[in-house]
Amino acid sequence: MATNQERLFDMFQPVSTEDWVAKINVDLKGADFNKKLVWRTNEGFNVQPFYRRSDVKDLPHIGTVPGQFPYVRGTKDSNNWLIRQQVEGETPADINREALHILDRGVDSLGVKLGREVTAEDLEVMFKNIDLAKVEVNVSCCMGKAVEIARIFVDFLKSKGVEKEFKGSIAFNPFKRLLRHGIDFPRDIKAEAVAMYATVKDVPGLACFAVDSYMLNNAGAYITQELGYALAWGAEWMTLLTEAGLSACEAAGRIKFNMGISSNYFMELAKFRAARMLWAEIVKAYGADDECCKMKVHAVTSQFNQTIYDAHVNLLRSMTETMSAALAGVDSIETLPFDLQYKKPDEFSERIARNQQLLLREESHLDKVVDPAGGSYYIENLTASIAKVAWELFNKVEDEGGFYALLKKGEVQKSVNESGVKRHTDVARRKEILLGTNQYPNFNEKALDKIENEACACSCGCSQEAADGAVESLVFDRAASQFEQLRLDTERSGKRPKVFMLTIGNLAMRLARAQFSSNFFGCAGYEIIDNIGFKSVKEGVDAAIEKGADIVVLCSSDDEYAEFAPEAFKELAGRAMFVVAGAPACMEELKAAGIEDFIHVRVNVLDTLIKFNAKLLN
């Protein structure tokens, strides 16, 4: 068949890349190819509008198969990822009841938080009727008691005779304090790590050294940034453990990466492929054999892009994120409930979160194909580009003393926070879209009553205030947080400003600008009064005053603004705020006439609405 295909293709004249570019330039009619079609990503590289076979022929991993070093195509020859869900309860019996409930509904990986006073008797109750040889269990606990809790947990597994079959993790992450609070772990990390390994060594499937780069994702890190720091974090563990006397295989076998997933669909898919490839090379450099170079990866959907308003859109975000990770061949995935940001998830939202993965696995059969993106010119180039930028960051961290050294200086936190600020600015200017928050909001939605404020409680002191001399810590403000604060301020004020669309003149332009303006002011929760059009400016102004408008937005064409804007401004006579939708060529003349407010695609939506709130709500 392949031979016949070649004969068929021989009937056509080959088309070179140069020919394609020439044809595209003709269609662009003089527009610049690089400016119009090349995507300048925030990840530190450019993406071309098309790729060809020649763009992948020199990539070193092309031709490898799943399960083959350097594992860019996966660490195994199947794609049977595990569905994880967190289990919570006030008592061990509550935890057991909830665990059995979700295991009966498709979950095969449990996340459990153990308190500092947990006992063997508690574990007996928690895991009653749960087959620990078949169900993955991932334990989180307070760092100060991690080794002791690990000992209790390991003894429990041995008492059940499942220590050889058990698969799971206990998250020992002493670096979290520096990331979250800017304060260092109070004890010697190497000594604690050695003690942790000695405690779990008889349970070969129990990973214990966590790389929690999902924290960076939730703070707004870009994809290459999360990956570069995650690799440096993992290398820090490798160096620390091998210097303590462990072999490279012993160290690597206990490291687990818990990574975030953003909504950048194809790039996230490529990120996990690049991560496996780079981690394999790192572990190999420590002297490990190929089998020990396999990366253990758990993926969790992002909280950075979740929203309180129009919260069901979170389902769309987490679905594409989950799909990225599933297609990328990670080991397990946790899809977060859509209502997590404003309340304790209920049975409905947790069920939906489970079912998102079950749909992909049981109905879409994504577990039946390994690395479906392999060989795609686009994905392979994304994989290589992400790997290149992340590797550069990794080497930069190593050159400057390693991950832990930069954490203690606050440099990692500062770099991620700068990215978070940049992304918040992009959201404020609508360069980064959050559907339902900074674009196409639900005008009439109220959120104040559905928010349940629960203080974060941690009996082990993990949430203590940062001490004097602490370095910078990560800032976990979600991308929507400032817009949500703006809209909640509107709700709390008891006022709801009315925005009246004075549509007049050119039909296409007035409709387009009315829609733009409605979405603009809807982001602050204002009442929008749209109209089909007025025959005269006076008719429109009279209608606005009759409706009790607080803001009147003139929506027309640039050519007509020179006539309509001064007339409307004069007719309104200060009875409401006056806004022109657009940035017409006559803007300076209109400003000279006293018109101050213009809204268009180049303005900072958030800053503009904050100014309107200050004038209208006080």
Side-chain angles (χ1 to χ4, degrees), residues 29 79 137 141 152 154 234 244 330 386 402 408 459 482 545 582:
K29 298 178 181 179
N79 192 28
V137 176
C141 59
I152 296 170
V154 168
V330 302
I386 289 172
K408 289 189 286 188
S459 60
Q482 292 168 306
I545 298 304

Side-chain angles (χ1 to χ4, degrees), residues 373-489:
S376 160
Y377 302 154
Y378 178 51
I379 301 299
E380 295 292 6
N381 273 276
L382 283 185
T383 301
S385 297
I386 289 172
K388 180 177 183 294
V389 177
W391 189 250
E392 290 171 353
L393 178 57
F394 166 76
N395 283 318
K396 181 176 182 292
V397 173
E398 293 299 294
D399 290 342
E400 294 179 7
F403 184 73
Y404 187 31
L406 290 191
L407 274 185
K408 289 189 286 188
K409 295 178 182 177
E411 293 297 326
V412 174
Q413 302 91 311
K414 178 182 178 183
S415 177
V416 172
N417 287 341
E418 286 173 353
S419 297
V421 170
K422 169 68 164 55
R423 293 187 68 183
H424 275 89
T425 301
D426 287 347
V427 170
R429 302 183 69 87
R430 284 181 175 171
K431 291 180 67 176
E432 184 171 336
I433 299 299
L434 284 175
L435 191 65
T437 297
N438 69 347
Q439 185 70 288
Y440 304 119
N442 182 343
F443 302 152
N444 298 315
E445 182 182 8
K446 297 288 191 298
L448 199 58
D449 293 340
K450 73 179 183 181
I451 297 175
E452 299 174 4
N453 294 317
E454 293 185 0
C456 176
C458 182
S459 60
C460 64
C462 295
S463 58
Q464 67 192 68
E465 293 296 323
D468 292 339
V471 298
E472 184 172 347
S473 59
L474 292 178
V475 177
F476 294 102
D477 289 344
R478 290 175 295 107
S481 59
Q482 292 168 306
F483 273 95
E484 289 169 353
Q485 185 60 53
L486 173 81
R487 194 159 175 177
L488 288 170
D489 286 345

Side-chain angles (χ1 to χ4, degrees), residues 553-611:
V553 184
L554 181 64
C555 302
S556 189
S557 66
D558 285 5
D559 293 339
E560 292 168 302
Y561 278 144
E563 174 188 351
F564 290 148
E567 182 182 353
F569 182 64
K570 183 178 180 181
E571 185 69 32
L572 195 58
R575 290 176 289 176
M577 298 182 68
F578 182 67
V579 178
V580 173
C586 62
M587 184 187 295
E588 294 305 319
E589 288 84 353
L590 297 181
K591 287 181 178 180
I595 299 172
E596 298 178 352
D597 295 311
F598 298 81
I599 59 171
H600 47 84
V601 294
R602 293 189 298 277
V603 305
N604 186 306
V605 180
L606 179 67
D607 288 350
T608 303
L609 291 175
I610 288 174
K611 292 176 182 176

Side-chain angles (χ1 to χ4, degrees), residues 284-305:
K284 188 79 170 177
Y286 282 86
D289 57 41
D290 288 0
E291 188 66 23
C292 298
C293 297
K294 294 180 177 180
M295 189 185 213
K296 296 183 180 71
V297 185
H298 169 66
V300 56
T301 56
S302 181
Q303 294 191 56
F304 183 76
N305 59 14

Side-chain angles (χ1 to χ4, degrees), residues 312-354:
H312 289 94
V313 180
N314 292 332
L315 291 168
L316 303 179
R317 300 182 181 106
S318 60
M319 193 66 180
T320 62
E321 291 165 4
T322 302
M323 191 172 176
S324 292
L327 291 174
V330 302
D331 299 303
S332 59
I333 306 172
E334 180 182 1
T335 303
L336 298 177
F338 72 89
D339 55 358
L340 179 65
Q341 301 308 324
Y342 58 88
K343 61 177 289 197
K344 186 180 186 297
D346 55 25
E347 168 58 24
F348 173 75
S349 61
E350 289 187 342
R351 175 187 172 217
I352 293 296
R354 288 192 300 273

